[in-house]
Amino acid sequence: YNVGYIVLISFLPGLFTNHGWSFAQASRIVSFLGWTLIPSVPLAGYLAERFNRSNLFLVGGFVLAGLAAAALPFALSPLLAFALLVVVIGAPAGLIMALPAQALRPQDRASGMGIYFTWYYVGMAALPGLAGMARDITGSAAAPALFAAAMMALALLGLIGFRLVQSGLPMR
């Protein structure tokens, strides 16, 4: 999820310049993604807890953000898809951070979170470069947005796997 978010922040200005905006204008538009994330993360967490619907916020955020990211390169005017992205991008963020604590016993949380963050930072270091490589190989500003959409889909699959393991269902 975070890889998809970082890829969008990093590469969307290039996509928007293909639609006629200057790089400065495109960067200003994309900055709304970051600015709205600040209040939306705690608000989504509060609402998810208040209504006891964390899975809905997680799944809805992954699906809607992924669909919006995938639509960006193909829209005649990407602002509608971008507006949807701005509204939903913060929904899963805080809830994702609560997942490890749900799975780890209190005596295992320190080492479990250490392992979690090790893999988190490995992914954050390696995967955005693949989005850039996809852009370089294809020569298309659409490639990173589609890569981000794929990251949202992987986050959804990860959540499904997590919930299956958490429920005690055997993974075969």
Side-chain angles (χ1 to χ4, degrees):
Y1 166 81
N2 283 331
V3 168
Y5 172 75
I6 291 300
V7 165
L8 290 169
I9 290 287
S10 302
F11 290 96
L12 280 184
L15 179 67
F16 285 173
T17 59
N18 287 351
H19 287 275
W21 287 294
S22 71
F23 189 74
Q25 291 169 322
S27 296
R28 192 172 312 114
I29 292 167
V30 172
S31 76
F32 284 109
L33 206 53
W35 287 109
T36 59
L37 189 73
I38 296 167
S40 70
V41 170
L43 178 61
Y46 170 77
L47 292 173
E49 278 189 358
R50 174 89 163 90
F51 296 109
N52 197 27
R53 297 282 186 239
S54 63
N55 282 335
L56 177 66
F57 278 76
L58 284 162
V59 171
F62 294 149
V63 169
L64 292 174
L67 290 173
L72 284 168
F74 306 106
L76 294 176
S77 176
L79 288 182
L80 183 60
F82 183 74
L84 175 62
L85 194 58
V86 165
V87 170
V88 301
I89 196 73
L95 300 169
I96 292 169
M97 298 312 295
L99 292 175
Q102 294 174 19
L104 296 168
R105 296 178 303 184
Q107 63 269 27
D108 297 329
R109 283 194 186 135
S111 57
M113 292 303 290
I115 293 167
Y116 170 80
F117 275 107
T118 297
W119 286 108
Y120 171 84
Y121 287 116
V122 166
M124 289 299 290
L127 293 173
L130 295 178
M133 187 183 306
R135 185 180 184 344
D136 291 346
I137 290 169
T138 64
S140 171
L146 297 175
F147 183 89
M151 292 295 100
M152 298 299 169
L154 285 175
L156 177 59
L157 292 175
L159 175 65
I160 292 167
F162 178 83
R163 292 297 189 211
L164 287 173
V165 169
Q166 191 179 34
S167 71
L169 292 176
M171 297 288 294
R172 293 180 197 219

